[in-house]
Amino acid sequence: MPSTDESGLVRAIGARQLTASIINVTIGAGIFVLPAVAAARLGPAAPIAYVVCALLMALIVCCFAAAGSRVSLTGGVYAYVEVAFGAFVGFLAGVLYFLMATFAVASVSSAFAGSVGAMVPAVTTPVGRGVLIAALFALLATVNVRGVRRGVGLVETVTIAKLVPLLVLVASGIWFINPEYLRWPALPSVSAVGRTAIVLIFAFVGLEVALVPSGELRDAARTVPRALFRRWQSRRRCTC
């Protein structure tokens, strides 16, 4: 559903770029923290919760694939809600999404400053922290202002920078697996698996953020489903 207000947008985001964007916003602290949470709750049977979570997320991915292939408007979730339920409900969804994104970005940027501060003591001061965060947002804003092609180029670069350490970790860690830790003393209860799977959903979210610039997608009817299912399949293989 193209909009006359977005006729000037450059539709430069294809399936590869959208897949990279989804992977980029998905890979975060959850990948490193949540496996420990699942292991603490289920022990060696923790992969079961990942399988259940992946199956649940597949249903959500199907919903986004259907909506994203029909509504190629900038806004993502907000645009889908507005088209389906009207301007007022869409406005409420947009405000709630804006607040959620604002708090999330503030939290992530604060964590980033804390990580840099562990290596650069000058950043641990309030002024140094503020300057670092301001410089980070200025850099990202500059890239976005220069155009969507440069933006997706940066996203692809950052995605590769995130994937390489994970692949190195898997390739090196596979030689240190202790078979004793893989034995199941007993099957976990259904309720324990369900509670853990719900927590693990946090590690799978991110696709809704990547769909915000849908007004700049090439052939959204094909690009959105292909990118979403590529991401889900690769995510399922990595977590299982």
Side-chain angles (χ1 to χ4, degrees):
M1 299 180 59
S3 171
T4 55
D5 296 335
E6 300 184 353
S7 58
L9 294 179
V10 178
R11 294 188 174 267
I13 303 177
R16 189 194 72 209
Q17 291 84 2
L18 183 58
T19 302
S21 180
I22 295 173
I23 294 175
N24 178 52
V25 296
T26 302
I27 296 178
I31 287 182
F32 303 99
V33 175
L34 291 180
V37 175
R41 294 187 177 190
L42 300 178
I48 296 179
Y50 274 98
V51 173
V52 173
C53 183
L55 294 176
L56 295 175
M57 283 300 301
L59 302 177
I60 299 176
V61 169
C62 288
C63 294
F64 274 98
S69 63
R70 289 169 171 78
V71 182
S72 59
L73 299 175
T74 299
V77 176
Y78 152 74
Y80 307 156
V81 174
E82 182 182 40
V83 170
F85 301 104
F88 178 69
V89 179
F91 168 76
L92 295 178
V95 170
L96 293 175
Y97 187 79
F98 170 79
L99 293 175
M100 181 276 295
T102 301
F103 291 131
V105 170
S107 176
V108 171
S109 60
S110 178
F112 171 76
S115 299
V116 175
M119 299 179 290
V120 183
V123 182
T124 58
T125 64
V127 175
R129 191 182 187 91
V131 170
L132 175 63
I133 294 176
L136 173 63
F137 280 101
L139 173 63
L140 297 177
T142 301
V143 173
N144 278 281
V145 169
R146 295 188 65 183
V148 62
R149 290 189 176 90
R150 290 181 174 83
V152 294
L154 176 62
V155 168
E156 290 183 296
T157 302
V158 173
T159 301
I160 294 174
K162 287 184 175 183
L163 287 176
V164 170
L166 287 177
L167 295 176
V168 172
L169 176 64
V170 172
S172 58
I174 196 172
W175 303 104
F176 297 93
I177 295 177
N178 189 340
E180 294 295 326
Y181 296 148
L182 300 179
R183 295 180 180 178
W184 294 8
L187 288 174
S189 65
V190 175
S191 60
V193 173
R195 288 194 297 269
T196 306
I198 292 175
V199 174
L200 292 178
I201 288 180
F202 178 77
F204 286 79
V205 297
L207 57 94
E208 73 285 352
V209 178
L211 292 176
V212 169
S214 294
E216 295 167 306
L217 296 179
R218 293 196 304 264
D219 191 8
R222 290 171 53 87
T223 299
V224 173
R226 290 171 61 189
L228 286 176
F229 282 102
R230 280 181 186 175
R231 172 263 185 185
W232 176 74
Q233 289 170 354
S234 62
R235 183 74 170 162
R236 182 184 61 179
R237 288 194 293 269
C238 291
T239 54
C240 295

